[in-house]
Amino acid sequence: MAYKHRLSPLLYWHLNRSSPEAIPSNLKLELKEHFHKNVQKNLMMFKELLEVVDILQKQGVVPIPYKGPVLAILIYKNLGFRIFGDLDFYVPIEDVPRTRDILVNEGYEPWEKLTSAQEKSFYKFQREYHFINKLTGINLEIKWKFLSTLIPTSNEPVFQENEFFKEVNLDQFKVKTISPEYLILILSIHNASHAYSSLYRFSDISELIKYCSNIKWEYLLKIADDWGVKRIFLINLKILRELFQIQLPGDVLELINNSNVDEVSKDIVKRLFTSKPRGVLEKVVFHSNLREKRKDKLKTILIMIFLPTPGVIESVSLPWALEPLYYILRVFQMVKNVFTNQ
């Protein structure tokens, strides 16, 4: 269970501190080896994060790293406490082509092999590029949208606020990242986009809430309401309250209790501790039910059925005039997935 939810480093650390004699020797050795391998990997990835920031800044691009080693050091205070598989950076859409060229020149290989026509469609329909360092094997994700493609919203006014980005100290290094308070909401939306399927995402949000002082809950809830993700946010908070005993103000607790999220929260918690995956159509129903308004429910359904995926865009290069054909190809892909997963 700890391996499945990427919590084995925390499990080993706390067990070894509180009751080391209670851990069977073979399991203790296994957890210890896994912990130290994760520390070594994370140190290498943190080093690469700093190198990428330096490379891009020297070329006039200001990347915003978040999640990954930033979260590990900032909220867990230990680089080894978090398991992550890639490095996430936000870059404004206008800087993405230049960022791509810089990374390719530095030895990174893009996962997506796209023509110029496909690139334009990719920027329009997707939110991130994937790269791999051919020497180290480390994966990068360059994002031009913070929010999941399931949440179509005009979020730029908030993201341009001075308070949204913050310079933080990571050991002796200073890095510009998302303000932790805003990151609570960003990670809550990210958690929902993955159907609340892993405990480590809840753990990250829980530790962020503990890390932040004087959280402006009313403001975060207003932003969530403006984006149409208030229900998504409240589901996160209800489950965090139940599983992690996070402290919340009375008015927020009252809002959760009056928000009709009990049933969906119970189902999410149950699935966290079972291996019952959702089918393709079940995922569509689940994600649409996370939204409050009918128009947002309908948008979610349409996005999940019609939005061209990276695989669809890569499969064929279409000129601008024929770009709508990607929607049809996505439907074919969706139908194929339904029958393949039955």
Side-chain angles (χ1 to χ4, degrees):
M1 185 66 71
Y3 286 129
K4 173 187 173 183
H5 292 282
R6 300 191 189 182
L7 295 176
S8 57
L10 287 171
L11 176 67
Y12 167 72
W13 182 265
H14 289 296
L15 284 178
N16 195 49
R17 287 187 67 188
S18 61
S19 309
E21 70 286 345
I23 313 175
S25 57
N26 59 331
L27 178 59
K28 184 176 181 179
L29 179 61
E30 178 186 329
L31 287 170
K32 181 179 180 180
E33 289 179 350
H34 189 267
F35 180 87
H36 287 293
K37 284 181 181 178
N38 187 59
V39 170
Q40 292 171 2
K41 175 183 72 70
N42 289 359
L43 281 169
M44 185 171 69
M45 294 184 74
F46 181 47
K47 176 176 177 289
E48 185 140 345
L49 180 147
L50 296 174
E51 290 173 351
V52 170
V53 169
D54 184 58
I55 289 167
L56 293 177
Q57 285 183 342
K58 285 179 178 176
Q59 298 287 337
V61 176
V62 181
I64 307 295
Y66 68 111
K67 300 196 295 183
V70 177
L71 266 184
I73 297 173
L74 193 65
I75 64 175
Y76 290 103
K77 309 301 182 186
N78 189 314
L79 193 57
F81 281 2
R82 195 171 186 271
I83 296 176
F84 44 90
D86 50 39
L87 299 174
D88 298 272
F89 299 88
Y90 168 78
V91 171
I93 181 65
E94 61 270 18
D95 289 334
V96 172
R98 188 152 54 107
T99 300
R100 184 183 184 279
D101 292 342
I102 293 169
L103 291 175
V104 169
N105 289 336
E106 291 292 330
Y108 289 88
E109 183 176 346
W111 288 15
E112 298 84 9
K113 311 298 182 184
L114 306 173
T115 64
S116 58
Q118 286 172 314
E119 279 191 359
K120 292 178 182 177
S121 298
F122 204 86
Y123 294 149
K124 178 179 178 180
F125 297 125
Q126 292 300 311
R127 62 186 283 258
E128 61 193 15
Y129 265 141
H130 298 83
F131 297 85
I132 183 169
N133 186 321
K134 289 182 283 188
L135 291 178
T136 64
I138 291 175
N139 294 315
L140 306 185
E141 290 185 4
I142 302 297
K143 304 176 191 291
W144 51 92
K145 297 177 186 176
F146 280 112
L147 304 184
S148 165
T149 52
L150 292 175
I151 313 293
T153 182
S154 178
N155 50 52
E156 290 305 315
V158 172
F159 295 163
Q160 290 172 4
E161 290 184 9
N162 291 333
E163 293 180 357
F164 187 78
F165 298 115
K166 181 179 180 181
E167 193 173 70
V168 297
N169 290 313
L170 303 180
D171 290 340
Q172 72 269 37
F173 303 99
K174 286 188 176 182
V175 174
K176 189 177 183 182
T177 187
I178 305 175
S179 172
E181 190 171 19
Y182 285 97
L183 193 56
I184 293 170
L185 181 55
I186 298 293
L187 292 186
S188 294
I189 297 170
H190 180 68
N191 195 13
S193 73
H194 287 275
Y196 304 97
S197 58
S198 192
L199 282 170
Y200 84 88
R201 296 189 186 97
F202 284 106
S203 177
D204 287 345
I205 302 168
S206 173
E207 293 302 314
L208 257 178
I209 291 173
K210 294 175 187 175
Y211 172 81
C212 295
S213 59
N214 301 317
I215 296 173
K216 295 179 286 188
W217 288 107
E218 185 178 352
Y219 183 56
L220 287 182
L221 286 163
K222 182 185 181 303
I223 296 174
D225 192 37
D226 291 344
W227 291 351
V229 296
K230 188 174 180 180
R231 179 174 165 83
I232 283 172
F233 192 32
L234 292 175
I235 289 170
N236 276 278
L237 296 179
K238 180 173 179 61
I239 295 173
L240 285 166
R241 175 76 173 169
E242 180 179 342
L243 298 183
F244 292 85
Q245 285 78 54
I246 62 165
Q247 298 298 309
L248 295 170
D251 56 341
V252 176
L253 290 173
E254 184 178 355
L255 188 59
I256 293 171
N257 293 333
N258 295 330
S259 62
N260 192 28
V261 296
D262 286 356
E263 187 175 338
V264 65
S265 299
K266 286 178 182 176
D267 180 63
I268 290 167
V269 171
K270 181 180 178 182
R271 288 175 184 269
L272 279 169
F273 298 100
T274 65
S275 300
K276 185 182 178 183
R278 290 184 176 86
V280 175
L281 296 180
E282 197 177 5
K283 288 179 182 177
V284 174
V285 173
F286 173 78
H287 284 287
S288 67
N289 285 338
L290 293 180
R291 310 304 298 277
E292 297 98 320
K293 300 175 183 176
R294 287 186 179 181
K295 67 175 184 178
D296 290 330
K297 291 177 183 289
L298 179 58
K299 281 182 183 179
T300 300
I301 293 171
L302 293 176
I303 287 170
M304 294 191 74
I305 294 174
F306 291 103
L307 185 72
T309 62
V312 165
I313 298 170
E314 278 190 273
S315 67
V316 59
S317 181
L318 296 175
W320 175 81
L322 297 178
E323 190 178 67
L325 289 177
Y326 281 128
Y327 296 112
I328 299 173
L329 293 174
R330 165 56 185 161
V331 173
F332 285 135
Q333 183 191 58
M334 184 81 170
V335 172
K336 179 182 176 182
N337 290 341
V338 169
F339 286 103
T340 301
N341 287 280
Q342 279 186 344

